[in-house]
Amino acid sequence: MPILLPFHKSILEEIHDPATSDLLILARGLGLRRTICTLMQIYDSKQSLILLLNASPEEEIAIGDELGIMGCRRPGLRIVGYEMGKRDRQDLYKNGGLISVTSRILIVDMLQSDIPTELITGLIVLHAEKVTALSLEAFIVRLYREKNKAGFLKAFSDQPEHITSGMSPLKNIMKELQLRRVHIYPRFHEDVKNTLETRKADVIELYQRLTEPMEAIHHAIVQCMTITLSELKRSNKTLELDDLNVESAYFRSFDAVVRRQLDPVWHKVGPRTKQLVGDLATLRRLLTYLLSYDALAFHAYLETLVASNTTTVTGAAKQHQSPWMLTDAANIIFSTAKRRCYVLTAPKPTSSVPERQVIDVDDEDAWAALDEAHGLIGSNSRDNGKKKEEKKPWVPDNMSPVLEELPKWDLLADVLQEIEEELMKQEAVSTRPPTRGTNTVLVMTSSPRSSTLVSEFLGEMDGTAPKGSRGRSMMERKLRTYLYWKGQNARQKQPRYQQPPRFSAPQSKSSSQPEGEISEALKRKDKTRQERSANRRRVRGGAPMTVAPSKPAVVDPKVESRDDGDDIAAFLASQPSDLLVSSDADALLLETLLSSEAEIDFDTHYGLLAPSQTVVVRAYTDDTDDQILAELQPRFIVMFEPNLDFVRRIEVYRNSNPGMGVRVYFMVYQLCCEEHKYLAGLRREKESFEKLIKERGSMLLPIFEDKHAGKSDAVIKTISTRLAGGRKELSTMPSQVIVDMREFRSTLPSLLHASGLLVIPATLTVGDYILTPDICVERKSIPDLVASFNSGRLYTQCELMSVHYKQPVLLIEFEENKSFSLETVAESAKSYAKPTSKYPAKKSTGPTDSDRAPPSIQSKLVLLMLHFPRVRIIWSSSPYGTADIFNDLKANAFEPDPNRAIAIGAEEDTEAGAGINAAAEELLRCLPGVTAKNVQYVMNKVGSVRELCELDRKGVQGILGVEPGNACYDFMHRGERKTGGL
């Protein structure tokens, strides 16, 4: 059971009272889940009903496990899922206790009175920062407070950065949750500060510099981000983008901030702006991958970026390419990333003078990288000869593997060696093992992929190798996989080229591009540059000859990578087919497993390891890390990558275990985005808490009024304007709307309830919303509209609405604060744009991109209206507008009947159809126009298939609809028409 620290106890003393409702905002890493579980343990009783809302499935499992450890096992936390039936949920609610339920299930149960709302003891809401006026949690709180004034509501959040955007964000959250008290506990709170500074862990900060190629790539990526951001600001001067800088672009929320500002004018911005927004996210990922991926994975990712940026899905050349890829900095990124993996040399000359070779150069950067590569491999001729003898058979002849390793790998190996020496020293000094903690070493990384990479390195590390090559065997295995992947890609593209690929080193752009794509001026410029470079010679004895890449403005990364792939494919084609698939190491391992020695030394190979020999590598998660620390009890922790949350978890862990020494190795790359991001995150959180504290001091608390006060006048409404000049009649039924169960994923039911309508959930076969006995509405968001057209589902839905309702309506709803347009201005004017080229475009014999493109949404809507003339289309700019439209449509109309709405189009019970001829029903299903949705309706209208065949065209159309009726009638009477013609 976790120990509560003094500041945890002070928090619980303030919020544990069931008579109050509170909002707690706690800094991440200070034990929010521990506080919530302790509070739920206090409330755990069969006489109380406590509901946990807004928890993810992982959080539900973790909270249930922690409650079980704390003693809440009978029955503990019960989880309500979609597989649980209605009666089971009703019984569960009546028995009371701690229950975790999704917001969508709870809202339906509250509307259908399956849960006794007035008997709910309290609600516990997680992730309060996500609560808005459109969220289901706000809908639940409204229904909860309508019938239950005495119950409590406790809301929790550990994301202060999400509550600082917009106008009075804290006040809006408290208004939607109907709260009047808020407690803010940052890291610099007096209670937290006094508690955590009592005992401090032994922290060793290790600052590691990047290698020179990594520094060059890092600087180039930041330069590309600066260029992209300035271009975005320049092309959108009307928007407030001054606060956006490169430092804020390090965080994932930066994309959401930029998109939020561009959403209202998203249909007006051109494809260039959209490309820039996507490029910022790509460059941010590149910064992260540079520090966490190995050199081969990073280079492979760059190659996929180049391929996706230059080629469309159909294989044609992409028109709007990323601007940053055309800069000099991008060339540095691609060329340096490639040199981190391998260096390609020219074919061996046929002359008999092998010791001195002439190398053409264009810049000195390639030589610097080559010098570094040879420094890793060996500088003298004897080492080179030895390395040449050890060259793997699956490596192409003109490829010299460099395989640069991440600098932190060597640092991690040194740290683990130091920890091992420290443990041996402690064992030699003291005969008794430590009373608290274990000797397990915990290594924390930023992502599961990074943890997998670290585990592979530690598993295959060669401790006797020099620094920079301890993971050589792992990198060679990854190079083998990379060559296989590269060769397969080149083989797939090979039939498109006229000539077979030749085995050569990458040349300049002038020799690799087609002849017609370069102007005469560029040819003269290239010729002059080649003559100038031919005069510059550099002689190196014993070094392999290489051709350095040409100037950044001329090299095309796509061409260069394509040549590499062709060379690799040509090499693999000349080798055995199983060269890269089978592995000698795998065969050796299999032979060892089958030998008898493995059976004799079973404990040695497969037995349990002592804690001192165990290294646990994990990725940072959420509050589950607190549970990991409590279970493993490590005395040595290595933070492979910095994380602000985990630093505080270590502080809490250290103070929760007095008497146990904890040593933390804090590893960070110096003078790069990793250090800047860590410091910027710390500063952002501090500023967010300061804003929240300032807003709490000047916040006007809302007054919650009882909405039932004026309900007596709500039932008095105008039924018909023809009754004595529109006098008001007394209606016993409240104004209501029937909503399909599946629609509770959207925000519209919540707004309908807030507008004063009674929302009745039901399982509808036809339509999504039933407003009146005659009006049926099928609601479609823009993504759903596109998917429904592609699948043909919308045709069937409009067909059923036209058959069963007098006024079928198709509602096309757009999102709030987004463009009110089906397509962008650039897409609509694509076919009418003037040619930008000076010369007329060449005539193409094949279909153009516009001919291959699918029909637009507008054309599909026109076809839909021609097929179903009675279907009306309503355009709504937001869910708020939809709620107003629904209220206007319901004016002066009767209320719908839920039982009739459910029965329309629904399948009958199996007992009701017991006397039906199964063969006749199967024959009826095979007719055109008869579907699984309307087959029961057709069987109710006609007694047999013969009766359906004897109906005239209008009779069949009256049952199936116009178009389906025509198809069915023509199919049944096709033979008669031919006979009549004869």
Side-chain angles (χ1 to χ4, degrees):
M1 179 177 175
I3 301 175
L4 291 178
L5 297 178
F7 75 89
H8 289 146
K9 296 178 181 177
S10 61
I11 292 174
L12 290 171
E13 288 175 359
E14 290 185 351
I15 67 173
H16 82 283
D17 190 1
T20 61
S21 296
D22 307 271
L23 170 63
L24 173 64
I25 303 175
L26 187 66
R28 289 187 299 277
L30 295 183
L32 179 63
R33 183 175 295 172
R34 182 184 306 185
T35 306
I36 295 173
C37 291
T38 306
L39 191 67
M40 295 177 71
Q41 184 189 22
I42 297 173
Y43 295 146
D44 185 22
S45 173
K46 291 185 178 180
Q47 285 74 32
S48 61
L49 178 58
I50 308 296
L51 300 180
L52 179 65
L53 296 178
N54 219 9
S56 64
E58 295 80 10
E59 289 174 333
E60 289 176 339
I61 296 174
I63 291 176
D65 294 342
E66 192 158 345
L67 285 173
I69 295 173
M70 298 169 67
C72 301
R73 300 187 183 90
R74 298 180 182 177
L77 179 67
R78 274 80 49 82
I79 300 175
V80 175
Y82 294 103
E83 67 279 356
M84 186 175 292
K86 183 176 180 179
R87 294 186 180 276
D88 296 335
R89 294 201 304 269
Q90 290 177 349
D91 297 338
L92 188 63
Y93 294 143
K94 291 177 182 177
N95 294 331
L98 304 175
I99 299 174
S100 177
V101 58
T102 62
S103 300
R104 186 180 165 206
I105 293 177
L106 181 60
I107 199 69
V108 173
D109 289 343
M110 295 177 78
L111 289 171
Q112 292 183 335
S113 300
D114 291 336
I115 181 173
T117 307
E118 62 279 356
L119 299 180
I120 297 177
T121 308
L123 301 179
I124 296 178
V125 182
L126 304 183
H127 305 293
E129 73 277 356
K130 298 181 180 179
V131 176
T132 62
L134 300 177
S135 61
L136 288 179
E137 288 75 26
F139 192 5
I140 290 172
V141 171
R142 283 201 305 272
L143 294 175
Y144 176 56
R145 289 308 182 193
E146 283 180 2
K147 297 182 180 180
N148 192 330
K149 301 291 184 182
F152 65 82
L153 189 146
K154 310 289 184 183
F156 299 90
S157 174
D158 58 355
Q159 302 285 339
E161 298 89 352
H162 291 73
I163 319 178
T164 54
S165 60
M167 186 70 68
S168 302
L170 180 60
K171 183 182 122 179
N172 294 335
I173 291 177
M174 296 183 67
K175 177 184 175 183
E176 299 304 328
L177 293 175
Q178 300 190 16
L179 300 174
R180 299 180 64 85
R181 294 179 50 179
V182 58
H183 308 279
I184 302 175
Y185 278 82
R187 173 61 179 84
F188 54 84
H189 192 279
E190 192 67 24
D191 294 343
V192 179
K193 188 176 179 182
N194 294 335
T195 302
L196 296 183
E197 291 185 355
T198 304
R199 303 181 186 89
K200 294 184 179 180
D202 181 17
V203 180
I204 300 176
E205 297 182 357
L206 302 173
Y207 290 94
Q208 175 68 45
R209 290 190 64 88
L210 299 174
T211 62
E212 290 186 8
M214 292 179 69
E215 284 184 354
I217 295 175
H218 183 275
H219 179 71
I221 293 176
V222 173
Q223 187 178 352
C224 289
M225 293 180 73
T226 306
I227 295 173
T228 305
L229 197 57
S230 60
E231 183 67 20
L232 182 64
K233 292 180 180 179
R234 190 183 64 82
S235 58
N236 296 273
K237 295 181 179 179
T238 57
L239 301 178
E240 297 179 0
L241 301 175
D242 297 335
D243 297 336
L244 303 180
N245 50 27
V246 176
E247 183 179 285
S248 59
Y250 290 155
F251 298 93
R252 191 175 299 174
S253 59
F254 176 80
D255 303 338
V257 173
V258 175
R259 186 61 194 267
R260 193 184 307 124
Q261 296 206 21
L262 290 176
D263 272 341
V265 293
W266 191 250
H267 62 295
K268 297 180 181 179
V269 300
R272 184 177 180 84
T273 300
K274 296 179 180 179
Q275 186 71 46
L276 292 174
V277 174
D279 289 344
L280 286 173
T282 302
L283 290 170
R284 190 194 64 246
R285 286 195 297 269
L286 278 181
L287 276 178
T288 305
Y289 295 163
L290 174 65
L291 305 181
S292 58
Y293 280 18
D294 59 88
L296 289 166
F298 184 74
H299 178 51
Y301 179 71
L302 286 176
E303 288 184 331
T304 58
L305 282 182
V306 173
S308 62
N309 184 66
T310 54
T311 310
T312 61
V313 180
T314 58
K318 193 172 182 180
Q319 293 183 353
H320 303 287
Q321 299 184 10
S322 299
W324 70 271
M325 286 195 177
L326 306 177
T327 60
D328 296 345
N331 181 69
I332 296 176
I333 295 174
F334 294 118
S335 59
T336 310
K338 181 179 176 181
R339 288 201 300 268
R340 291 178 65 205
C341 303
Y342 54 84
V343 175
L344 289 180
T345 60
K348 296 181 179 179
T350 57
S351 61
S352 60
V353 186
E355 61 272 4
R356 300 181 65 85
Q357 296 174 349
V358 181
I359 304 172
D360 295 336
V361 297
D362 195 30
D363 55 12
E364 297 296 328
D365 294 338
W367 280 110
L370 190 58
D371 290 340
E372 182 182 0
H374 283 287
L376 295 176
I377 298 173
S379 57
N380 53 29
S381 59
R382 287 181 301 174
D383 293 340
N384 288 337
K386 184 178 178 181
K387 196 67 185 179
K388 197 172 294 184
E389 292 176 359
E390 296 176 357
K391 192 170 185 179
K392 304 294 182 183
W394 43 265
V395 177
D397 296 334
N398 71 331
M399 179 180 290
S400 298
V402 178
L403 304 179
E404 181 185 82
E405 301 179 7
L406 292 179
K408 277 189 179 179
W409 291 354
D410 286 330
L411 188 61
L412 177 62
D414 296 339
V415 166
L416 294 179
Q417 180 67 24
E418 179 182 334
I419 292 175
E420 186 176 355
E421 294 174 357
E422 182 71 20
L423 292 176
M424 294 173 63
K425 188 186 301 182
Q426 292 179 1
E427 290 178 358
V429 173
S430 175
T431 57
R432 293 187 306 170
T435 56
R436 298 186 67 104
T438 62
N439 292 333
T440 301
V441 180
L442 179 62
V443 180
M444 300 299 295
T445 62
S446 60
S447 64
R449 174 161 185 153
S450 181
S451 62
T452 304
L453 188 61
V454 171
S455 301
E456 291 179 0
F457 169 74
L458 295 178
E460 303 180 29
M461 180 180 63
D462 184 6
T464 60
K467 287 188 176 182
S469 58
R470 293 178 178 176
R472 187 75 179 183
S473 60
M474 179 191 72
M475 294 301 294
E476 287 179 350
R477 177 174 52 81
K478 290 184 177 293
L479 176 62
R480 194 171 188 172
T481 307
Y482 168 80
L483 292 177
Y484 178 76
W485 170 75
K486 189 85 171 176
Q488 290 295 327
N489 290 343
R491 284 198 190 100
Q492 293 177 0
K493 299 177 182 178
Q494 196 168 355
R496 297 183 183 179
Y497 303 117
Q498 298 291 335
Q499 299 178 355
R502 290 185 299 174
F503 196 53
S504 60
Q507 302 295 326
S508 62
K509 185 174 181 179
S510 59
S511 61
S512 59
Q513 276 197 339
E515 191 72 22
E517 294 184 3
I518 301 182
S519 63
E520 292 297 330
L522 286 178
K523 289 180 183 178
R524 288 195 298 269
K525 185 178 179 182
D526 292 343
K527 184 177 180 181
T528 305
R529 189 186 66 251
Q530 289 175 0
E531 291 175 355
R532 190 186 308 118
S533 62
N535 295 328
R536 300 175 59 191
R537 305 284 181 178
R538 183 167 178 175
V539 180
R540 296 179 63 91
M545 187 172 65
T546 181
V547 178
S550 57
K551 292 185 178 180
V554 181
V555 170
D556 188 354
K558 181 187 175 184
V559 175
E560 186 176 348
S561 62
R562 186 184 65 205
D563 289 344
D564 296 347
D566 295 342
D567 292 346
I568 294 171
F571 171 75
L572 295 179
S574 62
Q575 302 296 326
S577 59
D578 59 345
L579 181 65
L580 293 178
V581 180
S582 63
S583 175
D584 297 337
D586 296 340
L588 183 62
L589 177 61
L590 182 60
E591 184 180 353
T592 305
L593 291 176
L594 296 178
S595 63
S596 59
E597 294 180 0
E599 299 178 1
I600 298 173
D601 302 334
F602 181 84
D603 291 335
T604 305
H605 293 283
Y606 303 103
L608 295 177
L609 293 174
S612 58
Q613 300 175 2
T614 307
V615 177
V616 179
V617 184
R618 275 183 55 87
Y620 298 116
T621 54
D622 50 3
D623 286 343
T624 310
D625 292 341
D626 293 331
Q627 190 67 25
I628 296 297
L629 289 173
E631 290 178 358
L632 294 179
Q633 295 278 316
R635 295 193 296 122
F636 297 94
I637 302 173
V638 180
M639 295 182 64
F640 190 74
E641 286 149 327
N643 184 272
L644 178 61
D645 307 347
F646 198 77
V647 171
R648 290 165 182 169
R649 299 188 201 281
I650 293 176
E651 292 180 327
V652 174
Y653 165 69
R654 173 67 182 89
N655 285 271
S656 300
N657 296 274
M660 181 176 67
V662 178
R663 178 179 295 182
V664 181
Y665 293 90
F666 186 82
M667 301 168 60
V668 61
Y669 284 118
Q670 194 174 10
L671 301 176
C672 72
C673 67
E674 190 175 76
E675 183 181 10
H676 298 161
K677 184 178 179 180
Y678 175 77
L679 297 176
L682 186 63
R683 184 166 57 252
R684 284 180 66 198
E685 189 193 58
K686 182 175 178 293
E687 293 174 354
S688 301
F689 271 116
E690 290 175 350
K691 288 181 182 179
L692 289 176
I693 294 172
K694 185 177 180 180
E695 182 182 352
R696 182 182 63 176
S698 60
M699 183 173 55
L700 298 176
L701 296 177
I703 298 176
F704 306 106
E705 58 181 358
D706 189 4
K707 294 188 177 182
H708 293 277
K711 194 173 181 180
S712 58
D713 298 333
V715 296
I716 302 177
K717 62 179 182 177
T718 301
I719 298 297
S720 176
T721 56
R722 300 189 180 210
L723 297 176
R727 72 175 186 271
K728 291 186 177 182
E729 296 275 338
L730 182 63
S731 175
T732 56
M733 293 181 61
S735 185
Q736 61 187 19
V737 58
I738 303 171
V739 183
D740 186 29
M741 292 282 196
R742 294 173 287 272
E743 278 298 305
F744 282 94
R745 299 191 190 99
S746 65
T747 59
L748 184 56
S750 175
L751 294 179
L752 292 176
H753 179 268
S755 65
L757 294 176
L758 177 62
V759 177
I760 301 177
T763 303
L764 301 179
T765 306
V766 180
D768 293 330
Y769 297 86
I770 310 299
L771 305 183
T772 68
D774 298 331
I775 299 179
C776 173
V777 179
E778 181 70 29
R779 173 191 163 274
K780 294 292 181 185
S781 61
I782 300 302
D784 191 19
L785 179 68
V786 175
S788 299
F789 269 126
N790 294 336
S791 64
R793 189 173 72 251
L794 185 58
Y795 184 91
T796 305
Q797 292 169 340
C798 292
E799 176 186 356
L800 291 175
M801 287 195 301
S802 301
V803 169
H804 296 290
Y805 288 94
K806 294 181 180 178
Q807 299 179 15
V809 176
L810 174 62
L811 171 70
I812 301 177
E813 184 180 87
F814 294 80
E815 296 184 34
E816 189 187 14
N817 298 327
K818 287 198 175 182
S819 59
F820 189 28
S821 174
L822 277 178
E823 64 181 13
T824 63
V825 176
E827 290 174 350
S828 60
K830 187 183 296 182
S831 58
Y832 308 103
K834 293 182 178 180
T836 57
S837 178
K838 182 178 178 180
Y839 302 101
K842 296 181 180 180
K843 293 183 179 180
S844 176
T845 56
T848 61
D849 290 340
S850 59
D851 297 334
R852 286 193 295 260
S856 62
I857 297 296
Q858 288 91 333
S859 61
K860 293 180 180 179
L861 281 173
V862 171
L863 290 176
L864 188 71
M865 293 300 99
L866 292 176
H867 279 83
F868 304 101
R870 288 198 297 116
V871 174
R872 298 291 180 258
I873 296 182
I874 294 180
W875 304 84
S876 177
S877 60
S878 68
Y880 291 99
T882 306
D884 296 336
I885 292 172
F886 280 10
N887 279 286
D888 294 340
L889 290 176
K890 286 185 63 64
N892 306 329
F894 293 96
E895 299 301 327
D897 182 11
N899 296 327
R900 180 178 177 274
I902 296 173
I904 288 178
E907 297 284 344
E908 293 185 358
D909 297 336
T910 54
E911 297 179 357
I916 294 177
N917 186 351
E921 181 183 359
E922 189 65 27
L923 174 62
L924 184 63
R925 288 177 180 268
C926 296
L927 296 178
V930 180
T931 62
K933 299 292 185 181
N934 61 4
V935 63
Q936 293 293 337
Y937 178 77
V938 176
M939 292 168 64
N940 292 336
K941 291 293 184 180
V942 295
S944 62
V945 179
R946 174 183 288 274
E947 186 177 345
L948 178 64
C949 296
E950 292 175 352
L951 291 176
D952 57 359
R953 184 181 294 270
K954 291 185 178 179
V956 178
Q957 290 178 351
I959 297 175
L960 297 176
V962 179
E963 289 298 327
N966 284 332
C968 184
Y969 184 83
D970 294 340
F971 176 78
M972 292 187 297
H973 297 275
R974 185 175 301 169
E976 297 178 3
R977 205 179 298 124
K978 289 183 179 179
T979 305
L982 293 173

